[in-house]
Amino acid sequence: MSCFLCQPCFNHTPCISIEDHDLSKSISIYDWKKRIRNLFIHVQIEWSTKYELLMDDIYEFYHMNIPFHNHTHAYDVLQLGIFLLLKCKPLFKKITFDTTFTFCLALLCHDIDHQGRTNSDLEKNGSFVDLECDLIDDSESLHSYCSLTSHNEKHHLSTACRLFKKHNVEYNKSLFATLVAHTDLLRHQTFLENLENKNTKNISIEDQLIVLIKLADIGHILRPWKVHMHFVNAMNRERTDPLSTLDLPYDTINFNATFVYPILLRLKQMNFVLYTKLCAKYEKNMQKWKDIRDFVISNQAPNH
């Protein structure tokens, strides 16, 4: 079977760039679906009425009153994920349409119907019970791919499963569940350690797709500064207890050093040239945060 990623894009469709994405402001469902449709063109997914209706539901299930985990984040992750997939296409010579399509669905639906609460928040107040009571058909078996405390991820799987069934969408359920389950950051270190124990040449397509979806999900520091700042501020507003302007630089630096850079390092074996270019963008924005941190330190009152 030929690789779907090796087909040329339509001439009227601009190339995907990590630089030309700016969703700092909310956009209409019409423009959102148009952007999705253009991304699908790049991976040879033929648009249909079925997908048009599915996207209507997906858009509505990303709530606009949630500052970060909304349809803007969903598009950001899809765009970056497809960008990474296309840049690494020599690794995916045998990837099938089914796998590509499932990967795109996971990128788009990994946070669907997010309520703006972390797994820790849900664990503390016991409200995860309400999220996990919406099982249908085989969504319970999909939950088995998640950790016990991955309450949000289980809910995302159930919600997406319900929509796919409603619109009669065929996809690789096992791969979809695996990809969504690995967006839980509590699994981050274990996944990286497991990769370290594998022979580089024997890393599966599934593992490589997990690397891509994880980087797409948390890698907005690779974006232009304005876009990155939009997402940092949106995430902070969504916190139960938002950080002060004094603490935000420290937290952002720590998050990226702990989670983003280690997963970015995995691109070294997948695409060294891409890794080098993304590292330059990463370091540029990280330096800005360090400059902000140093400015905050130098301007703190002596008794702060």
Side-chain angles (χ1 to χ4, degrees):
M1 179 178 293
S2 61
C3 172
F4 286 90
L5 301 182
C6 294
Q7 305 299 325
C9 296
F10 298 141
N11 293 330
H12 64 275
T13 305
C15 293
I16 300 177
S17 169
I18 202 168
E19 296 290 340
D20 63 3
H21 167 53
D22 187 351
L23 277 178
S24 300
K25 297 180 180 179
S26 180
I27 59 174
S28 68
I29 187 172
Y30 173 80
D31 289 334
W32 188 81
K33 289 195 296 183
K34 181 179 179 181
R35 291 172 184 252
I36 302 297
R37 185 166 59 248
N38 288 338
L39 289 176
F40 275 26
I41 288 175
H42 284 83
V43 287
Q44 301 299 301
I45 298 175
E46 185 176 351
W47 199 256
S48 67
T49 302
K50 178 191 299 186
Y51 300 153
E52 186 82 16
L53 297 175
L54 173 63
M55 296 305 152
D56 286 338
D57 280 347
I58 292 176
Y59 184 92
E60 293 302 321
F61 271 94
Y62 275 105
H63 310 298
M64 302 188 63
N65 64 312
I66 304 297
F68 180 82
H69 292 102
N70 52 39
H71 65 275
T72 303
H73 171 64
Y75 175 77
D76 171 67
V77 176
L78 176 67
Q79 198 268 1
L80 182 51
I82 289 180
F83 168 83
L84 295 171
L85 184 69
L86 291 173
K87 289 296 183 180
C88 295
K89 66 182 181 181
L91 294 173
F92 299 102
K93 293 180 180 179
K94 297 182 180 180
I95 195 170
T96 64
F97 173 84
D98 180 56
T99 299
T100 302
F101 181 58
T102 299
F103 177 65
C104 290
L105 289 180
L107 291 166
L108 197 55
C109 297
H110 75 285
D111 276 327
I112 194 166
D113 201 32
H114 203 290
Q115 305 297 311
R117 294 167 293 177
T118 66
N119 284 329
S120 296
D121 292 334
L122 295 171
E123 190 78 20
K124 288 177 183 177
N125 57 31
S127 55
F128 64 88
V129 176
D130 296 329
L131 282 182
E132 295 180 18
C133 67
D134 56 356
L135 300 176
I136 63 164
D137 297 339
D138 57 356
S139 64
E140 184 173 11
S141 65
L142 296 184
H143 284 192
S144 65
Y145 288 82
C146 300
S147 302
L148 290 177
T149 57
S150 299
H151 309 302
N152 274 315
E153 289 70 29
K154 292 176 184 178
H155 179 63
H156 304 325
L157 286 173
S158 293
T159 303
C161 181
R162 185 186 305 111
L163 293 183
F164 299 156
K165 182 177 181 180
K166 172 184 176 182
H167 296 286
N168 195 28
V169 172
E170 296 182 0
Y171 62 106
N172 184 324
K173 295 178 181 179
S174 174
L175 176 61
F176 180 78
T178 298
L179 293 173
V180 173
H182 276 84
T183 60
D184 184 352
L185 289 179
L186 287 180
R187 302 185 63 166
H188 194 79
Q189 188 59 37
T190 300
F191 172 70
L192 291 176
E193 291 174 356
N194 288 339
L195 280 188
E196 289 294 333
N197 295 328
K198 294 181 180 180
N199 187 309
T200 302
K201 295 182 180 180
N202 294 330
I203 296 178
S204 66
I205 288 180
E206 182 178 274
D207 282 337
Q208 293 179 53
L209 291 177
I210 292 173
V211 168
L212 298 190
I213 193 174
K214 288 176 71 63
L215 185 56
D217 184 26
I218 61 176
H220 51 77
I221 192 172
L222 307 174
R223 300 287 195 185
W225 179 252
K226 177 183 176 182
V227 178
H228 170 53
M229 279 298 294
H230 163 75
F231 287 118
V232 170
N233 289 325
M235 184 70 252
N236 194 39
R237 292 197 307 274
E238 191 174 295
R239 293 174 186 266
T240 304
D241 297 305
L243 299 174
S244 69
T245 53
L246 297 179
D247 294 327
L248 190 58
Y250 291 91
D251 182 80
T252 304
I253 291 170
N254 181 64
F255 177 86
N256 285 289
T258 302
F259 295 106
V260 179
Y261 188 69
I263 203 71
L264 180 59
L265 274 174
R266 300 307 308 177
L267 282 181
K268 254 188 176 182
Q269 288 76 34
M270 298 174 65
N271 185 328
F272 182 77
V273 174
L274 176 62
Y275 160 78
T276 303
K277 291 180 178 179
L278 293 183
C279 267
K281 297 179 184 298
Y282 172 88
E283 294 295 344
K284 180 179 179 181
N285 283 341
M286 279 288 274
Q287 187 58 52
K288 289 185 178 181
W289 280 113
K290 292 174 183 177
D291 292 342
I292 294 173
R293 176 199 60 192
D294 294 342
F295 176 81
V296 168
I297 293 174
S298 64
N299 286 274
Q300 283 183 6
N303 295 326
H304 186 274

